[in-house]
Amino acid sequence: MHKPIRNRALTGTALALAVSAVLTACGGKDSSSADAKADGTASAKSAAAVRNPLVVTFDGGLYILDGETLRPAKTIELPGFNRVNPAGDEDHVVVSTDSGFRVLNATDQTFTGIEYKGVKPGHVVRHAGKTVLFTDGTGEVNVFDPAGLSSGKKPEGRTYTSAEPHHGVAIELADGELLSTLGTEEKRTGALVLDGKNKEIARNENCPGVHGEAAAKNEAVGVGCEDGILIYQDGKFTKIDAPDDYGRIGNQAGSDASPILLGDYKTDPEAELERPTRISLIDTEKKKLRLVDLGTSYSFRSLARGPHGEALVLGTDGALHVIDPDTGKVEKRIPAVGEWQEPLDWQQERPTLFVRDHTAYVSEPGKKALHAIDLETGKKITSVTLPKSTNELSGVVAGH
């Protein structure tokens, strides 16, 4: 379960009132950009702490926003294509840069100096109070307790190096078992599980093109395959086959409140970019897979879970589709952004969904906008306009 976030974000009328004086100030030049050096480190001038910060990337840097008002608190210049993920505590996010993973104290708006160097930093996974980093260029896995980040020094943690570098992912379970993918730069085949001393205790190589992970209720972990999904639970692997010979599940979203995983679903191995309209719902208890046609396409940044385990998909029709994972029924379609189309290049900006507690944050790069939506009422709490179009969107989230 997610721990409560400190100073939980306001909802409804209270936040709307708080923002009334903000919107006019957000579209102009950001005066805080001078407070950061080109490499993203802080200058001598200290910034006031922000509440439940959000971090969004743009071409050449990061915006740090106050999570209650969406007011831009600081701009940090950071060249290159950068990615952001929650670090697992109330203050930090992990920024993937050209040189490796860097830890940003988003509350204080400064880089901490904690860095996990390595080319091609990949997936960041939070589970059972641990954060796991996978560096694709080296195959190195780093596991740490995010509570240790508050010291400003790199936390002591576990390290494992894959047999071959590859685009992979790893997750540590509550009992200390570590699941990590198997593959090379040319071919990915499955996953293995290590005990607390890094001794292999399980392996399955019946998962071609393995990609992505998510954890469901009762710690069932799924990793996607090009022909279904591989589930690890209670010491053993189970393969759930897709209904198509090529049925790729590459991105998943899980919830501690539901035994059902949400996944994407693609069926054309030759497509330059497939824009699917179906999503997959994987029942980890019954070991069954259900497909649901939303009538609209979506992207890999469109999947999330709500506070009650509901499945959320941001469609190219501009709506946030709220799906009952047990029935596959679309219960609500919440207007979020204008219609959009997924770009061919995965690094190009597109609307992105980030969910924290009962609030969905949705970016709209075409309008340089960011919206906060109350998932309970379906109403837009507030919107803000930023100086530049944004790409990735994340924020602080306490770990499971």
Side-chain angles (χ1 to χ4, degrees):
M1 299 289 289
H2 289 298
K3 299 175 183 176
I5 298 285
R6 182 174 60 228
N7 298 325
R8 182 175 168 180
L10 298 173
T11 58
T13 305
L15 181 50
L17 291 172
V19 170
S20 61
V22 173
L23 298 181
T24 55
C26 294
K29 183 178 179 181
D30 191 314
S31 61
S32 64
S33 59
D35 296 342
K37 300 175 184 178
D39 67 352
T41 57
S43 68
K45 183 179 178 181
S46 61
V50 295
R51 295 160 293 184
N52 303 328
L54 300 172
V55 180
V56 290
T57 69
F58 63 89
D59 186 9
L62 311 169
Y63 293 127
I64 301 177
L65 311 179
D66 187 289
E68 291 189 7
T69 64
L70 301 190
R71 179 190 293 273
K74 189 160 188 173
T75 300
I76 295 178
E77 297 176 15
L78 192 64
F81 176 70
N82 304 300
R83 312 196 70 186
V84 285
N85 285 280
D89 69 350
E90 298 174 333
D91 297 312
H92 299 86
V93 299
V94 176
V95 183
S96 304
T97 72
D98 290 340
S99 62
F101 297 103
R102 297 180 65 184
V103 178
L104 173 71
N105 186 324
T107 300
D108 291 341
Q109 305 150 62
T110 59
F111 274 98
T112 63
I114 300 172
E115 185 171 5
Y116 295 83
K117 294 184 177 181
V119 294
K120 299 180 181 178
H123 286 263
V124 178
V125 175
R126 296 170 298 109
H127 180 72
K130 295 294 177 63
T131 300
V132 184
L133 313 177
F134 195 105
T135 302
D136 293 349
T138 62
E140 185 174 88
V141 175
N142 283 282
V143 184
F144 60 87
D145 182 343
L149 296 174
S150 60
S151 70
K153 298 179 180 180
K154 184 181 288 188
E156 291 186 10
R158 174 182 188 175
T159 302
Y160 163 72
T161 302
S162 307
E164 295 282 348
H166 64 281
H167 179 46
V169 67
I171 178 173
E172 185 173 278
L173 306 184
D175 62 1
E177 292 181 353
L178 180 71
L179 182 150
S180 189
T181 53
L182 291 162
T184 66
E185 291 184 358
E186 292 77 31
K187 185 180 181 180
R188 303 191 301 273
T189 58
L192 55 72
V193 178
L194 308 172
D195 66 13
K197 297 182 178 179
N198 284 358
K199 178 183 177 181
E200 183 176 325
I201 57 175
R203 173 186 290 246
N204 186 296
E205 296 189 61
N206 185 28
C207 186
V210 60
H211 185 271
E213 62 69 43
K217 186 178 181 180
N218 297 322
E219 212 169 34
V221 176
V223 291
C225 316
E226 292 178 348
D227 57 359
I229 192 166
L230 191 63
I231 305 296
Y232 180 77
Q233 187 177 27
D234 297 329
K236 66 179 181 179
F237 283 103
T238 303
K239 177 68 175 294
I240 302 176
D241 293 325
D244 300 276
D245 289 339
Y246 182 89
R248 183 177 188 268
I249 300 174
N251 300 279
Q252 311 89 39
S255 169
D256 291 341
S258 172
I260 297 172
L261 297 174
L262 165 66
D264 57 1
Y265 192 75
K266 295 184 176 182
T267 57
D268 185 358
E270 305 301 326
E272 181 179 10
L273 173 68
E274 184 176 352
R275 296 185 172 96
T277 61
R278 292 185 294 176
I279 53 97
S280 55
L281 296 171
I282 303 101
D283 191 323
T284 62
E285 289 182 346
K286 298 179 180 178
K287 305 297 189 291
K288 291 184 178 180
L289 185 155
R290 177 205 303 262
L291 299 177
V292 177
D293 197 325
L294 299 179
T296 182
S297 62
Y298 55 90
S299 89
F300 71 95
R301 292 194 187 132
S302 293
L303 308 181
R305 302 302 288 267
H308 310 294
E310 60 269 47
L312 305 172
V313 181
L314 178 64
T316 55
D317 60 355
L320 184 58
H321 298 250
V322 182
I323 305 157
D324 183 335
D326 295 312
T327 65
K329 180 182 178 181
V330 179
E331 297 184 320
K332 288 190 290 188
R333 291 179 175 86
I334 302 173
V337 297
E339 292 186 12
W340 55 283
Q341 185 179 57
E342 183 180 6
L344 289 175
D345 183 350
W346 74 270
Q347 292 189 353
Q348 293 299 305
E349 60 196 32
R350 81 284 310 280
T352 297
L353 172 65
F354 173 67
V355 175
R356 185 169 62 192
D357 291 335
H358 295 263
T359 303
Y361 300 93
V362 183
S363 65
E364 190 168 13
K367 296 183 178 179
K368 301 179 182 178
L370 180 67
H371 311 285
I373 298 170
D374 189 317
L375 288 170
E376 302 299 329
T377 64
K379 294 181 179 179
K380 195 169 287 185
I381 302 167
T382 190
S383 299
V384 67
T385 301
L386 297 167
K388 295 183 179 181
S389 296
T390 61
N391 199 340
E392 294 221 343
L393 163 63
S394 191
V396 301
V397 174
H400 289 71

